[in-house]
């Protein structure tokens, strides 16, 4: 009989399973704490639980993270992980070490069907949604391997996939990440990046607690945005920005707008000025991302001069702007690149 993987389950789900095998529900609570708060995956090491209970757990359950089949480290310390899932599919996650706080960039789907023209993952199409155990498995595997402690890292859903297309599983993972009895991260330390699924954004507005939002905007006219992000045809810039304005954002929180600068397409001074106008009244942060060229895609990175001029227009108009240094250039750190290559050229296993 296949043993059930407990990873990805909520406290209530674990308690119900424990009760179903004839144990007291409070033991499920202890187990939940061991897994998420202690990051303990081996029942034998859960020494706060009684020996007989641990033996019972081993008969019925496992706590499994996806297998790391490759690690690639860039010169700047960025570490890219390739995970193999139970069905042989691959997803990737990236660990970005920073002086003040590390960042884990994780995937939410195998592939993606949103079709952004500048993105490698889009070439795969959507294969399937990740389950909560596979989403949290990426986090748990990296946290354990790197010995990360609570409060020392943030999580961003910016790997493969559109998180809002896998809303249920992403939100289940988010709730465990921020649960004080679970992984106990602050909700301000978890960010979901979306290409702009307006109906799901409206649904998220009803949540009691929601993660930080990063909107992948990338263009300032509908014509250009539709040409690089076809979903803009369904939910145009105006509707997207209006939905952002409806968010009940706490005073010290801001919505992040990601803007990929692509040479000759989204990098003009006019774009910068239009961007300022679009963001009026939103108290936003802008993450400027000079395009990281991908093999086989026709887009180029703007010149340094162009990037500086664009950024200056935002700064002069009091827009808070951040520029992501291009991290991990030498390890194909662009979204979906490694897993895409993996799909095309199977590699020998063993990290
Ligand atoms: S950029 Fe994100 S939403 Fe767009 S195709 Fe790539 S993975 Fe999907």
């Amino acid at each position: 009989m296949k043993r059930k993987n407990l990873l990805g389950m909520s406290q209530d789900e674990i308690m119900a399973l424990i009760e179903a095998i004839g144990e007291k529900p409070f033991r499920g609570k202890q187990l939940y704490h061991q897994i998420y708060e202690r990051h303990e995956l081996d029942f034998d090491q859960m020494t706060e639980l009684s020996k007989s209970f641990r033996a019972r757990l081993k008969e019925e359950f496992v706590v499994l993270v996806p297998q790391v089949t490759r690690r690639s480290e860039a010169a700047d310390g960025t570490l890219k992980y390739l995970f193999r899932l139970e069905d042989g599919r691959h997803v990737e996650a990236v660990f970005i070490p920073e002086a003040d706080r590390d960042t884990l960039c994780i995937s939410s789907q195998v592939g993606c069907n949103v079709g952004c023209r500048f993105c490698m993952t889009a070439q795969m199409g959507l294969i399937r949604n990740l389950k909560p155990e596979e989403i949290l498995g990426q986090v748990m595997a990296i946290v354990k391997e790197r010995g990360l402690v609570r409060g020392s890292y943030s999580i961003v859903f910016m790997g493969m996939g559109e998180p809002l297309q896998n809303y249920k599983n992403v939100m289940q993972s988010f709730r465990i990440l921020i649960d004080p009895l679970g992984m106990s991260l602050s909700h301000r330390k978890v960010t979901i990046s979306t290409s702009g699924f307006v109906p799901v954004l409206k649904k998220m507005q009803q949540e009691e607690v929601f993660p930080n939002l990063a909107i992948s905007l990338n263009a300032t006219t509908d014509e250009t945005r539709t040409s690089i992000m076809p979903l803009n045809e369904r939910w145009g810039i105006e509707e997207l920005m209006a939905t952002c304005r409806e968010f009940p954002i706490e005073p010290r929180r801001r919505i992040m707008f990601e803007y990929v600068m692509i040479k000759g397409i989204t990098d003009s001074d006019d774009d910068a000025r239009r961007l300022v106008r679009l963001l009026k009244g939103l108290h936003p942060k802008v993450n400027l991302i000079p395009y990281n060229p991908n093999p086989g895609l026709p887009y180029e990175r703007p010149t340094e001069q162009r990037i500086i001029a664009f950024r200056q227009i935002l700064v002069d108009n009091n827009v808070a702007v951040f520029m992501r240094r291009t991290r991990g250039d030498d390890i194909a750190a662009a979204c979906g690149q490694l897993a895409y290559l993996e799909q095309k050229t199977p590699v020998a296993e063993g990290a």
Side-chain angles (χ1 to χ4, degrees), residues 38-42 65 139-148:
R38 294 281 167 90
H39 308 150
E40 193 49 76
L41 310 181
D42 180 353
V65 297
V139 178
M140 196 66 95
I142 298 175
V143 162
K144 276 191 78 70
E145 182 186 291
R146 312 291 308 171
L148 304 181

Side-chain angles (χ1 to χ4, degrees), residues 108-109 111-123 157-163 165 193-197 216 218 228-231 260 335-336:
S108 56
Q109 296 181 308
C112 180
N113 65 2
V114 175
C116 303
R117 306 264 189 252
F118 50 83
C119 167
M120 287 303 280
T121 303
Q123 315 278 311
F157 284 81
M158 288 186 193
M160 295 169 72
E162 162 53 63
Q165 277 204 319
S193 170
T194 176
S195 52
F197 271 73
S216 189
N218 305 325
I228 55 173
M229 299 179 74
L231 102 157
V260 175
C335 167

